[in-house]
Amino acid sequence: MKFHAIVLPSGKNTSPNIPKQVFQVAATLLLLTVIPLLLNRTSHSPLPFSKINIHNLSIEFDKTCDIFSGKWVPFPKGLYYTNTTCNLIIDQQNCMKFGRPDTEFLKWRWKPEECELPLFDGFQFLELVRGKSLAFVGDSVGRNQMQSLLCLLASVVYPEDISYRYTSDTNFKRWFYADYSFTLATLWSPFLVKASDADPSGHSYNSIMNLYLDKVDEAWALEISKFDYVIISAGQWFFRPLMLYEKGQLVGCHKCQQKNITDLTHSYGYRKAFRTAFRTLLSLRDYKGVTFLRTFSPAHFENGEWNKGGSCARTRPFTMEELKVDQYILDMYSTQVEEQRAAAEEGRKRGLQFRLLNVTGAMLLRPDGHPNHYGHSRHRNLNMADCVHWCLPGPIDTWNEFLLYMLKGEGQMAPGRKLQ
C-alpha cells in the first residue's frame, strides 16, 4: 500500500483505549435500557464516560474478531491520499485546503483489541464489487463516507461521473468504474421517510418540517432494488423542529412549541423512520441486496451549541478520562440497533442480510476530526463551525476500512447487476 507523506508533529500521547469485553445481545440491550433510567432526562449535561463502558456500543458479532472494539493508536506512516492527490474532495470537508494548521489528527489509526484491521486496499475492494453496485442512502454524513471511498479508490482508478443520466439534482450522485463494471451512488434522504417544509418563511437550518413517519421517501425507495449493497444512515436532521404524522394524522411534534400538540422525543421519529425504511426493504420483491446500517455519527460541539458559538478545536483524540457521552447519543444508537436487529430477524426469513456498520464507539473518541472552521460550503454560514461532518482525509476513512473488512467476510454476495 502506497502512503502519501505528510509532516507530522512528534508527541508522546497516550492512546485512547476501549476496554475489551464481550456481551450477548440480551445483556447489551438490557444495559442500553438501564442506563437511561440512571440519568436525569431533564438535564443536558454530559454523562462522564467513567459511568459507561463504551464497548457496549460494539455489538456486531464476528467469530474471528470484533473490529469495532479497540483504540486509536499512533500511526505516523502517512496517508492514503491528500487533498492534492485526490481532486474529488468537496470544499465542505477539504480542511487542509482552507488552512487547517495542525496535522496531529491525521496520525492515528483504529486498532481492534483482538486482531489487526487490514489497511484499505483499493484493488481488493474493486475486485470484491466487480459487476456490482453500492448505494449510500441518507444525509450529508453518509455522502461524506462516499466521498472518502472515492478518494480511497482514486489511487487505483478515477470513476466517470454519470449522475447527469439520472438527474440534475446534485444531491444524487452516481459514479461508474468502467474497468470493474461497478457503480457507486449516493441517494439523498436525510429522514429516510417523506418530508416537506412546514415553515411559511421557507427552509432554513432550523426551520420546522413535516415528517410522514409511515411513508417512505420514494426518492431512494424506487431506486434501491437495483443495488447489491446499501449503506443506510440518518442522524442530525432529527434534532430540528418537526411535525410528526402517521396514517395521515398529526400524532405530535418535536420542538414545535405549539399548544395542544404532544411534544415527542427526537428518538420517537427516529425509530419510526428506520422502521419504515427497513420494512420497505423487506417488502420489495426485487430487492436482493445486503443492507448495512451505519450507526450514529456523533457531533462534538464544545463551548456552545451549533448555532450559539459551539466549535470543535481539539487536535487529538479524547483519552478515556476526557470523554463524556451525552444521553441523546445513547438514545439514537440504541434506537438504531433495536430496529436493525428486528429487521435482521425478519430478513433471515427472506434470505436478506441486515448488518451493523458500527462506527459510534470509535468516533466518539475523535473530536479532532471535524472541519470546525476549515470547511467551506456555499450554503453555510462561515461563522458557524462544522462539528458534524469529517475532514478528508481523516478518521472517517476508517469507516471504509470497516466496510472492506465486512465485504470480505460476506459468505455469499448478491448477484451482480450492471448500472450505467
Side-chain angles (χ1 to χ4, degrees):
M1 170 63 65
K2 179 180 178 181
F3 289 103
H4 298 278
I6 186 167
V7 177
L8 295 173
S10 61
K12 296 182 179 180
N13 297 311
T14 57
S15 60
N17 188 12
I18 294 179
K20 176 181 176 184
Q21 186 177 7
V22 177
F23 288 89
Q24 296 297 323
V25 176
T28 302
L29 295 180
L30 177 61
L31 181 63
L32 291 170
T33 301
V34 171
I35 286 176
L37 299 178
L38 302 178
L39 302 175
N40 182 354
R41 288 184 175 272
T42 63
S43 172
H44 295 287
S45 61
L47 180 70
F49 174 79
S50 59
K51 298 182 182 179
I52 298 177
N53 182 348
I54 198 172
H55 182 75
N56 297 324
L57 297 183
S58 183
I59 57 177
E60 170 73 14
F61 295 114
D62 187 312
K63 292 182 179 179
T64 58
C65 175
D66 178 3
I67 59 172
F68 305 117
S69 174
K71 60 185 178 181
W72 292 97
V73 298
F75 188 76
K77 294 183 180 180
L79 305 171
Y80 288 117
Y81 61 91
T82 70
N83 65 312
T84 58
T85 63
C86 178
N87 62 17
L88 298 172
I89 304 174
I90 65 172
D91 286 350
Q92 188 176 9
Q93 286 102 46
N94 203 337
C95 303
M96 308 313 288
K97 174 182 176 180
F98 291 103
R100 179 164 178 168
D102 64 292
T103 55
E104 176 84 3
F105 76 104
L106 296 171
K107 77 167 192 175
W108 299 87
R109 189 164 188 271
W110 183 251
K111 170 66 173 69
E113 292 288 351
E114 301 175 351
C115 64
E116 293 293 332
L117 178 64
L119 292 167
F120 188 90
D121 186 324
F123 287 101
Q124 188 177 59
F125 185 95
L126 287 168
E127 284 296 340
L128 284 169
V129 296
R130 182 183 288 275
K132 301 182 186 296
S133 53
L134 185 154
F136 289 91
V137 178
D139 58 19
S140 54
V141 178
R143 184 171 59 210
N144 200 171
Q145 184 183 1
M146 185 204 71
Q147 289 157 343
S148 163
L149 184 56
L150 286 171
C151 283
L152 289 167
L153 297 177
S155 63
V156 179
V157 64
Y158 269 80
E160 177 189 359
D161 186 346
I162 58 171
S163 309
Y164 68 92
R165 301 181 188 178
Y166 298 87
T167 180
S168 59
D169 187 341
T170 57
N171 284 315
F172 295 80
K173 299 289 291 185
R174 299 200 193 208
W175 305 86
F176 184 60
Y177 293 80
D179 291 345
Y180 296 88
S181 296
F182 169 57
T183 299
L184 180 62
T186 178
L187 305 179
W188 172 258
S189 185
F191 295 109
L192 305 178
V193 294
K194 182 180 177 181
S196 63
D197 287 315
D199 193 324
S201 301
H203 187 81
S204 66
Y205 281 119
N206 211 32
S207 59
I208 194 166
M209 297 186 70
N210 295 319
L211 217 56
Y212 304 91
L213 298 173
D214 52 356
K215 295 184 180 296
V216 73
D217 182 0
E218 293 185 349
W220 70 266
L222 294 178
E223 296 290 324
I224 210 64
S225 292
K226 303 172 184 177
F227 290 90
D228 300 293
Y229 301 106
V230 174
I231 301 174
I232 193 167
S233 61
Q236 302 294 333
W237 282 67
F238 284 84
F239 297 121
R240 69 188 301 138
L242 298 170
M243 305 296 289
L244 305 174
Y245 291 83
E246 294 181 76
K247 297 181 180 180
Q249 301 296 316
L250 181 67
V251 296
C253 73
H254 173 58
K255 297 199 308 187
C256 69
Q257 299 179 344
Q258 295 186 26
K259 295 181 179 179
N260 302 320
I261 300 179
T262 303
D263 188 20
L264 299 171
T265 65
H266 55 261
S267 58
Y268 180 90
Y270 199 56
R271 180 180 301 279
K272 292 297 183 78
F274 272 103
R275 185 173 297 176
T276 295
F278 288 146
R279 286 179 175 176
T280 298
L281 292 170
L282 288 164
S283 69
L284 293 173
R285 184 179 61 181
D286 296 331
Y287 180 63
K288 308 296 182 184
V290 178
T291 304
F292 297 88
L293 167 62
R294 194 267 294 153
T295 61
F296 184 71
S297 174
H300 290 94
F301 289 97
E302 295 186 271
N303 303 314
E305 298 178 23
W306 66 274
N307 58 347
K308 296 179 181 179
S311 62
C312 41
R314 294 180 183 262
T315 59
R316 61 178 303 280
F318 276 137
T319 64
M320 297 305 290
E321 294 73 25
E322 293 171 325
L323 179 63
K324 296 178 181 180
V325 182
D326 283 318
Q327 173 63 43
Y328 79 89
I329 295 177
L330 296 176
D331 291 342
M332 302 294 271
Y333 177 83
S334 60
T335 295
Q336 285 182 307
V337 169
E338 290 163 8
E339 293 304 313
Q340 184 269 343
R341 295 239 176 250
E345 182 177 353
E346 188 64 27
R348 280 190 285 272
K349 301 174 185 178
R350 276 200 52 200
L352 292 176
Q353 294 186 59
F354 287 78
R355 303 197 63 189
L356 205 65
L357 180 56
N358 194 345
V359 308
T360 307
M363 303 312 284
L364 276 169
L365 294 163
R366 296 308 306 266
D368 55 326
H370 301 287
N372 198 18
H373 292 290
Y374 298 105
H376 289 191
S377 170
R378 58 191 176 94
H379 300 300
R380 191 175 188 87
N381 182 347
L382 295 180
N383 293 320
M384 293 194 322
D386 183 356
C387 303
V388 172
H389 302 93
W390 302 92
C391 291
L392 295 178
I396 193 173
D397 295 322
T398 301
W399 301 7
N400 289 313
E401 293 178 336
F402 289 161
L403 178 60
L404 175 56
Y405 184 94
M406 297 176 76
L407 288 176
K408 288 191 292 185
E410 290 295 329
Q412 294 181 345
M413 292 189 177
R417 288 179 289 279
K418 294 182 179 180
L419 286 176
Q420 296 186 36

